[in-house]
Amino acid sequence: MLKMLILRIIQSIPVLVIVGAVVFSIAVALPGDPSLIILGENAPEVERQRIRLELGLDRPVLVQFGDWMFKAVQGDIGKSYKTGEPVVSVLAARIPVTLQLAFLSMLFAVVVGVPLGMIAAIKRNSWVDAVVSVLSVSALAMPFFWVGILLIMLFTLKLRLLPPFGYVPFSEDPVQNLRFMIMPVLTLGSAYVALVARQTRAAMVQVLSSDYIRTARAKGASELRVVTVHGFRNALVAIVTVIGLQFAGMMGGAVVTETVFQLPGLGRMITNAIFDRDYGLMQGGVLVVVLGVIIVNLLTDMAYWLLDPRIQR
Amino acid sequence: MLYAVPAGLSLRGWNMPDQFNVLLEVRNVRKFFGVRGKSVLPTAKYVQAVNEVNFSVRRGEVFSVVGESGSGKTTLGQMLIRLLDPSDGEIMFDGVDLMTLDDQQMRRARKRMQIIFQDPYSSLNPYMTVGDAIGEVLEVHGITKTTAERDQRVDDLLETVGLRSATSVRYPHEFSGGQRQRIAIARAIAANPEFLVADEPVSALDVSVQAQILNLISDLRASMGLTMVFISHDLAVVRHIADRVAVMYLGRIMEIADVDEFFDRPLHPYSQALLSAVPTPDIRRSKQRQVLSGEIASPMSPPSGCVFRTRCPHAIEACAGVVPPLELKSATRSSACIRDDLLK
């Protein structure tokens, strides 16, 4: 186990370097000059030249990249071009917001999606199955911003229950924090409820039609036992896969959701950084997201290892 | 001669006297499967997997069901222990119609009836250790109370089927086909059943392993006094293990006979064709080989009258008219054929 874990961590290093290179090249290729962003449209050329020198933008691109990577390895991923703040401290403030959003959305998706998928699989081809299927497709088809706006119309304008947008850290005021989080979580989670439900249904249908389920029935095991101990247990690998894989997609959804609900998370930070040509901040943000995806993939692999005895050793 | 009364008789309103000691009686059982067409309308087509099947199995005997693939023998086998519900008819187990049992009663009854499946690879849960898979039977039926007791019993069972007890902590994928089938047998006998359905238990195994597994089944049958329905397409295997034989074709029983009689002098034209298809080293006999023409007819639209008539060398016009009933042709056997003139 430990050996596999170490191996996987070593394997993720090249991934990080490649992603770093891609992000860096995009930043270079993007039109717009950071010096203009910092100094404003009408800054004199001399001043702009000074800024460029300060940021090291006059050096060859490869040197800039090497320098950035070298520092990144040491934990210094530069400063925000716009505010001069260290990127690390900006990220430290943003990461918890996105983490909370992603975690709660995933929780919502699993808590609602898994039972729905199981019921649909057990009652396959019944009206229950049809309803779950139609709801899933609808939820998947609706864009995040649209769901968000609908929710605001319902919970804020109509029912006057929830604040439309804003954010308070959980540590300051847990109740208010959760009130702010409800709609973003519903927005981001709805699509994943659908994905998880569909994947659960598919996996359960496949498992329930296998021979060893018939064996379990022949043993005299109760239907509940057949469905849970033999059915769900064996479908779990497939369900965990979809949850792990969808984490990367969820980061994309977080960008939109955070924008709609004005959450100060990573997604919105990266969007703003791109608009501001704040390459330093953007690179840091993307790097953190990639790191997150790599970690989740690692966790997914470890979950396989725990769930499927055939993978062991 | 009491011993040899064929099951077909019960059809005609006979009640088997107690001394026959019938454990399982199948009465007019049918199974139709709906076939999904391209139309959105509800099912209009049916596959007649098993049609009007009647027989009974006495305590302690091995009753073998033979037939080509697609003849409905597996479907029949699963209905015998109600892993599938018949569309029609009765399955009387020890005097009780299984169809009248509710879920809980049926689950309890499973302690007394077990099955060995054909495929030892897919019929074991890959995520369960061998010990848990066998132990589940013991737990579900409350046979063992403590884990220690359970583990001890599992080890005993594994030893009974010829595996080392240390295997209980391992997973199915670590075993060969023959070993897996031994595990499946241990699972099947765990609750000490009276009745066992063996659905082609060796046909997925290497020939070299087949004999070992067959001997194991024979030994267990003798030591546990098992009543068995042994489903197979391999006549050599059937001859080795069976007391009586039923031949199925396209969901119907063509002939039921004692095993020796059946192999010596099959009555039904289909039985004759089946037996003559078995390779024989005897040159004189191989000359008489009957080769059936054509394929087994579609169970979605079986021929009218006798289902075998389309391939039968002795078919006459009358065969298309009526479905021949399974009738007593001698004291010890029954056959479903109207051409009694062939018997002479």
Side-chain angles (χ1 to χ4, degrees), chain B residues 172-186:
Chain B
H173 70 273
E174 300 173 54
F175 296 93
S176 69
Q179 288 173 319
R180 280 161 164 250
Q181 202 59 307
R182 286 178 194 272
I183 293 163
I185 291 169

Side-chain angles (χ1 to χ4, degrees), chain A residues 258-297:
Chain A
E258 285 170 4
T259 307
V260 172
F261 293 100
Q262 303 281 299
L263 289 176
L266 264 185
R268 199 152 69 96
M269 185 204 81
I270 294 171
T271 328
N272 290 341
I274 293 169
F275 283 133
D276 292 347
R277 305 282 181 274
D278 194 341
Y279 301 152
L281 199 56
M282 186 199 77
Q283 286 160 349
V286 173
L287 214 58
V288 166
V289 170
V290 171
L291 200 63
V293 171
I294 288 175
I295 289 171
V296 168
N297 280 348

Side-chain angles (χ1 to χ4, degrees), chain B residues 56-304:
Chain B
S56 54
V57 181
R58 288 183 288 268
R59 282 181 208 276
E61 86 170 331
V62 176
F63 185 87
S64 196
V65 179
V66 301
E68 296 168 80
S69 46
S71 61
K73 31 187 213 315
T74 292
T75 306
L76 177 65
Q78 296 199 6
M79 285 194 291
L80 297 182
I81 58 166
R82 221 186 135 187
L83 278 182
L84 278 175
D85 285 349
S87 311
D88 199 6
E90 287 160 21
I91 311 253
M92 307 292 292
F93 181 82
D94 205 7
V96 179
D97 183 1
L98 291 183
M99 290 309 292
T100 63
L101 301 181
D102 64 29
D103 282 0
Q104 208 179 348
Q105 290 168 323
M106 191 58 229
R107 265 190 280 129
R108 247 179 274 140
R110 295 206 180 283
K111 192 180 160 189
R112 304 178 59 192
M113 53 182 81
Q114 278 299 327
I115 184 165
I116 303 168
F117 293 106
Q118 174 174 6
D119 185 349
Y121 291 91
S122 62
S123 62
L124 287 169
N125 187 335
Y127 296 171
M128 235 182 205
T129 63
V130 168
D132 286 342
I134 298 171
E136 187 178 21
V137 182
L138 304 170
E139 280 164 14
V140 161
H141 295 293
I143 294 166
T144 53
K145 302 281 177 272
T146 63
T147 317
E149 212 183 322
R150 188 200 85 156
D151 293 346
Q152 183 54 50
R153 177 96 177 99
V154 168
D155 288 352
D156 292 347
L157 283 163
L158 287 171
E159 228 154 274
T160 308
V161 298
L163 292 170
R164 286 180 305 116
S165 58
T167 49
S168 69
V169 294
R170 290 160 67 187
Y171 287 91
H173 70 273
E174 300 173 54
F175 296 93
S176 69
Q179 288 173 319
R180 280 161 164 250
Q181 202 59 307
R182 286 178 194 272
I183 293 163
I185 291 169
R187 186 221 84 227
I189 63 168
N192 236 326
E194 301 150 61
F195 176 60
L196 189 64
V197 174
D199 182 5
E200 306 240 21
V202 297
S203 58
L205 305 177
D206 288 346
V207 179
S208 57
V209 185
Q210 285 189 359
Q212 297 171 16
I213 298 294
L214 279 176
N215 287 337
L216 174 64
I217 292 174
S218 285
D219 292 349
L220 288 172
R221 177 231 169 176
S223 63
M224 299 177 66
L226 285 169
T227 306
M228 272 179 58
V229 167
F230 191 96
I231 298 167
S232 181
H233 64 267
D234 187 338
L235 292 170
V237 167
V238 167
R239 185 168 207 169
H240 173 76
I241 204 163
D243 296 318
R244 281 197 302 150
V245 180
V247 180
M248 277 186 92
Y249 183 83
L250 220 61
R252 291 177 186 269
I253 291 189
M254 298 284 115
E255 177 169 0
I256 298 178
D258 281 4
V259 68
D260 293 335
E261 262 187 321
F262 175 76
F263 283 96
D264 287 348
R265 203 171 76 88
L267 269 193
H268 195 282
Y270 179 59
S271 309
Q272 291 166 0
L274 264 188
L275 282 174
S276 77
V278 176
T280 160
D282 185 335
I283 291 172
R284 275 165 299 145
R285 283 192 62 186
S286 65
K287 273 183 188 157
Q288 309 159 6
R289 178 176 295 179
Q290 287 180 30
V291 180
L292 287 181
S293 55
E295 291 284 307
I296 189 164
S298 161
M300 265 193 281
S301 51
S304 68

